[in-house]
Amino acid sequence: MMPAPQVQRHRLSLPTGELELDIHDSAFALDDVMGFAARANAKRGFLFLSKVLGKHWPVTPSMMRTVHQSLADTVPELPGPVVFIAMAETAIGLGQGVFEAWLAAHPGREGLFLHTSRYRVGEAPIIEFEEAHSHAPRQFLHMPPDAHTRELLLGARALVLVDDEASTGNTFLNLTDACRKLNPGIAHVHLATITNFMGAPATQALSARFGLPVTMGAPVSGEYRFTPGQLASASAPAQLFDPSADRGASGDFGRYGLHRALTAPAALAARLAAEVQPGDQVLVLGTGEFMHPSYLLGAALERLGVDVVVQSTTRSPILTWGAVGAALTFPDNYGEGVANFLYNVTPGQYRHVFICHETAPTEALRGLADTLSARLFHFKTETHIEEV
């Protein structure tokens, strides 16, 4: 009989409470994939901060690709069509990467990728659900305007829901319920997360809880306990949703649905790589929900031999503690009027910073670019990219 894997126990005193974490199984060294941070959020005072998402921590595109493939490999054989949905904002890039890895491994299979959003795009109807513990709890899924894409969503037999971590499963359940109201034919749900900290009993009970077969794929699993102390409150609201406001968000990169992988900006990468000297460190920075194109640009630069990492700005308020060693605060480029942040980056840290954004150039973007001595690249479409 094989010996049971040894449980890794972590006990941490956060500024917001006491966190206990038991790791039961891990395909990666834990320190390589996550750290610990404290949220400025009275609902949840801790954060399992991923080091492989390209969000709060700089990561090489090759490591991101490894994680994408690892999660895609957990997806079982599912009845089609299969719809992949990534959770805003943190896991949007992860979900697109997993979808693209799954497509590459299943040529000829029909699949659809969508990501949730906290912005409304155009006149498309939105499906609302709640991420109750979040600093910005209202999430939306757009009904695709294209008839074929809409048929795929409404005719899907399986959902693959992608997030960076699962701690309660509540948000997945809320999204599944919203989708099943539109499409009662959904027969299977697969949850793909980097870390699953629900614990074995809760994971085993997912199918009964959801009311249909549910599988879980996570390279890191365990369970946690958090004893709140003095929870920090964010200084300002993190969500000020106006359903009539045009925030400049695009439907072309996942909100309206994608049937294929996005094209890497190879020509732009070649031009930028030619300007990078040996030894120069490069940061490609996504903005808010606009994450995957920054990964694609970073991956193209990496293939050309550039020393590059990827990261993104965020609306998530996190305290400077633990895995967050530095924080920049600035206005959001979507014009929503909420604070945005960039963690673990300081001015002058990188020789080159390339900021990828979907919104039109704003004073907020120009101010961030000035702070980081960065260059702005406006992705008007997948192939129409303008340097500002």
Side-chain angles (χ1 to χ4, degrees):
M1 177 181 290
M2 292 290 291
Q6 187 172 0
V7 175
Q8 301 176 40
R9 300 187 183 279
H10 301 265
R11 302 293 182 267
L12 296 102
S13 293
L14 282 64
T16 52
E18 301 295 316
L19 179 65
E20 302 174 74
L21 177 66
D22 293 346
I23 302 297
H24 298 155
D25 187 42
S26 182
F28 300 98
L30 189 65
D31 189 56
D32 289 344
V33 294
M34 63 167 281
F36 301 95
R39 293 176 185 260
N41 180 351
K43 297 178 183 178
R44 178 175 287 189
F46 63 92
L47 176 67
F48 302 117
L49 187 143
S50 174
K51 295 180 177 179
V52 294
L53 280 175
K55 193 63 174 175
H56 308 114
W57 187 276
V59 58
T60 62
S62 54
M63 182 60 184
M64 294 175 73
R65 186 163 49 249
T66 296
V67 171
H68 297 164
Q69 188 63 60
S70 176
L71 287 190
D73 289 345
T74 74
V75 178
E77 189 63 31
L78 295 173
V82 181
V83 173
F84 287 69
I85 303 178
M87 307 298 286
E89 75 179 6
T90 303
I92 288 174
L94 175 69
Q96 285 190 276
V98 172
F99 172 68
E100 293 182 359
W102 181 86
L103 278 182
H106 297 83
R109 287 294 305 273
E110 192 166 37
L112 173 66
F113 171 79
L114 293 157
H115 73 74
T116 68
S117 180
R118 292 186 172 94
Y119 309 107
R120 183 165 189 169
V121 178
E123 299 299 319
I126 53 176
I127 306 148
E128 183 170 353
F129 66 101
E130 186 175 70
E131 185 179 7
H133 68 264
S134 175
H135 52 285
R138 298 181 68 184
Q139 288 233 38
F140 311 102
L141 191 67
H142 288 79
M143 181 63 69
D146 173 72
H148 176 62
T149 306
R150 191 164 58 249
E151 287 171 4
L152 284 176
L153 176 61
L154 298 179
R157 297 281 293 151
L159 297 178
V160 177
L161 307 183
V162 184
D163 208 349
D164 58 316
E165 59 101 1
S167 52
T168 66
N170 291 339
T171 306
F172 285 134
L173 178 59
N174 292 343
L175 177 55
T176 299
D177 286 346
C179 290
R180 292 180 76 191
K181 288 177 182 176
L182 292 171
N183 174 10
I186 294 169
H188 192 114
V189 174
H190 180 73
L191 309 181
T193 66
I194 299 172
T195 57
N196 170 22
F197 295 143
M198 291 191 296
T203 301
Q204 292 163 5
L206 282 170
S207 294
R209 185 179 171 198
F210 279 55
L212 79 172
V214 177
T215 49
M216 164 68 80
V220 181
S221 62
E223 58 186 322
Y224 77 95
R225 292 163 297 281
F226 183 69
T227 305
Q230 184 63 44
L231 295 181
S233 295
S235 58
Q239 187 171 28
L240 297 170
F241 178 67
D242 179 352
S244 63
D246 181 359
R247 300 297 184 192
S250 171
D252 296 338
F253 295 93
R255 293 185 184 91
Y256 280 177
L258 292 167
H259 311 139
R260 57 172 180 79
L262 288 174
T263 302
L268 175 61
R271 176 166 67 85
L272 296 177
E275 302 171 13
V276 176
Q277 299 301 312
D280 287 352
Q281 291 186 309
V282 176
L283 170 66
V284 181
L285 189 64
T287 44
E289 294 184 358
F290 194 67
M291 295 177 62
H292 196 56
S294 60
Y295 158 74
L296 293 174
L297 176 57
L301 289 168
E302 189 178 50
R303 286 191 290 271
L304 296 171
V306 174
D307 180 7
V308 58
V309 291
V310 175
Q311 210 175 318
S312 174
T313 65
T314 175
R315 70 165 74 209
S316 180
I318 309 172
L319 302 181
T320 305
W321 178 90
V324 174
L328 296 172
T329 305
F330 44 90
D332 76 291
N333 59 293
Y334 292 89
E336 193 178 19
V338 301
N340 271 209
F341 309 93
L342 177 61
Y343 298 112
N344 294 310
V345 174
T346 56
Q349 181 176 350
Y350 295 95
R351 180 66 180 85
H352 302 274
V353 179
F354 306 133
I355 301 176
C356 304
H357 55 99
E358 62 178 334
T359 60
T362 63
E363 288 305 309
L365 282 169
R366 296 182 192 279
L368 179 61
D370 287 345
T371 298
L372 298 176
S373 301
R375 295 161 66 178
L376 294 171
F377 294 90
H378 182 195
F379 285 64
K380 292 188 170 183
T381 67
E382 184 181 1
T383 56
H384 184 186
I385 306 166
E386 292 184 356
E387 183 169 3
V388 177

